[in-house]
Amino acid sequence: MNGTDKLAIVILAAGKGTRMKSDLAKVLHLVAGKCMVVHVVECARKLAPEQIYVVVGHQAQQVEQEVRQHFDAHFVLQKELNGTGDAVKSVVPFLPAHIQHVLVLCGDVPLIQEQTLRLLVDGHLDSKDSLTVLAVNVENPAGYGRIVRDDSGAVLCIREEADASASEKKINTVNSGIYCFEKNFLVSGIEKIQCENNQAEYYLTDLVEIARVSGKKISVVSMDDPRQVMGVNTLEELARAEALIHELNNELS
């Protein structure tokens, strides 16, 4: 994989995780003996060990302390939890001038694998995209943002579940929450995100529509293993991740 010396990785780890029914920040819950965010940082370091930016917010000090026990990383505070777009925007001022591409990961997706991220970044670099989305094909798309395309297959937007129409909710290709951006597009595009949605948040996914309107090149890298991009939002999902991580490790060993 060429160009990873010019790659920065942003890991979103600021959320509260209220559905976990716990006082502990969501990304600090354990999977296979390690906090979820530590699994994600561990994977990210295999691609860009010097340029890892962890966005912290809820229980910021505890999250930073936990990661620092294992790895060196940069930490950026999201002062108000106003959505994923706002979280990534908080990192932009800290990105070094030599960085040309930015990979965005979620701190609550502990099963993501190195080869999947390399596939995404390689596809992004080879196609010279402004934005590349990692998508996954699932049987039950409930809860995910849908990848909406036109009749020619071109990506139109990512529609969050809360904002999706009845026909859009039937789409089975969904957003993993993992993206690779050309940095210059990210810096300019993120200023155009509005919070005109049902959650009143700044969605990072709006950058797809912003890229399309601007005539920028967008690609989707699809995969068929939803286990790797499963987000953990509940105690039930935490238990499932615990079982699946052993299953994945056995397959890869």
Side-chain angles (χ1 to χ4, degrees):
M1 181 166 59
N2 297 320
T4 49
D5 56 327
K6 298 173 182 176
L7 176 72
I9 302 180
V10 175
I11 299 172
L12 307 181
K16 293 181 180 179
T18 51
R19 284 191 284 162
M20 297 295 284
K21 298 178 181 176
S22 167
D23 292 333
L24 191 66
K26 177 167 67 168
V27 298
L28 292 180
H29 284 79
L30 298 179
V31 173
K34 287 188 284 193
C35 294
M36 287 195 281
V37 67
V38 170
H39 283 285
V40 180
V41 175
E42 184 175 33
C43 185
R45 279 177 51 84
K46 296 171 183 175
L47 278 74
E50 304 299 322
Q51 298 294 340
I52 307 290
Y53 296 81
V54 182
V55 181
V56 293
H58 182 61
Q59 295 183 359
Q61 187 174 356
Q62 294 96 312
V63 175
E64 180 173 342
Q65 186 176 18
E66 178 60 37
V67 173
R68 285 194 188 281
Q69 286 184 26
H70 302 272
F71 309 110
D72 287 329
H74 307 280
F75 296 88
V76 178
L77 179 66
Q78 184 184 12
K79 294 177 182 176
E80 295 184 29
L81 304 183
N82 287 332
T84 51
D86 180 65
V88 174
K89 185 178 180 180
S90 67
V91 178
V92 165
F94 300 97
L95 295 174
H98 75 275
I99 293 298
Q100 295 182 8
H101 305 278
V102 180
L103 175 65
V104 178
L105 308 177
C106 302
D108 63 351
V109 181
L111 277 63
I112 191 65
Q113 301 293 314
E114 175 190 359
Q115 64 266 36
T116 299
L117 297 183
R118 289 191 181 278
L119 185 69
L120 173 66
V121 175
D122 283 346
H124 174 80
L125 296 176
D126 291 346
S127 298
K128 296 180 171 59
D129 296 319
S130 292
L131 163 58
T132 309
V133 181
L134 180 65
V136 60
N137 301 311
V138 295
E139 291 183 12
N140 177 13
Y144 289 96
R146 310 309 203 272
I147 307 289
V148 181
R149 304 175 190 252
D150 65 16
D151 293 338
S152 70
V155 179
L156 296 176
C157 65
I158 297 174
R159 190 79 72 214
E160 297 298 330
E161 168 98 358
D163 302 299
S165 66
S167 61
E168 288 169 344
K169 286 180 179 178
K170 296 177 182 177
I171 296 170
N172 290 90
T173 302
V174 301
N175 178 31
S176 69
I178 297 174
Y179 319 89
C180 201
F181 296 96
E182 191 271 320
K183 187 182 84 169
N184 288 340
F185 165 70
L186 176 65
V187 171
S188 62
I190 211 159
E191 295 294 336
K192 300 175 183 176
I193 297 177
Q194 305 293 318
C195 58
E196 297 168 355
N197 53 66
N198 288 338
Q199 305 299 316
E201 291 185 350
Y202 294 90
Y203 290 156
L204 191 63
T205 49
D206 285 358
L207 283 173
V208 173
E209 203 160 359
I210 290 167
R212 179 181 63 81
V213 170
S214 304
K216 301 294 185 182
K217 192 174 178 187
I218 310 165
S219 289
V220 174
V221 172
S222 295
M223 60 181 291
D224 293 312
D225 187 357
R227 298 174 301 177
Q228 289 191 39
V229 296
M230 176 187 141
V232 177
N233 296 296
T234 65
L235 292 175
E236 291 76 15
E237 289 171 348
L238 186 68
R240 180 163 165 72
E242 181 76 29
L244 288 176
I245 199 166
H246 297 297
E247 186 179 288
L248 271 171
N249 289 339
N250 288 337
E251 288 176 16
L252 294 170
S253 62

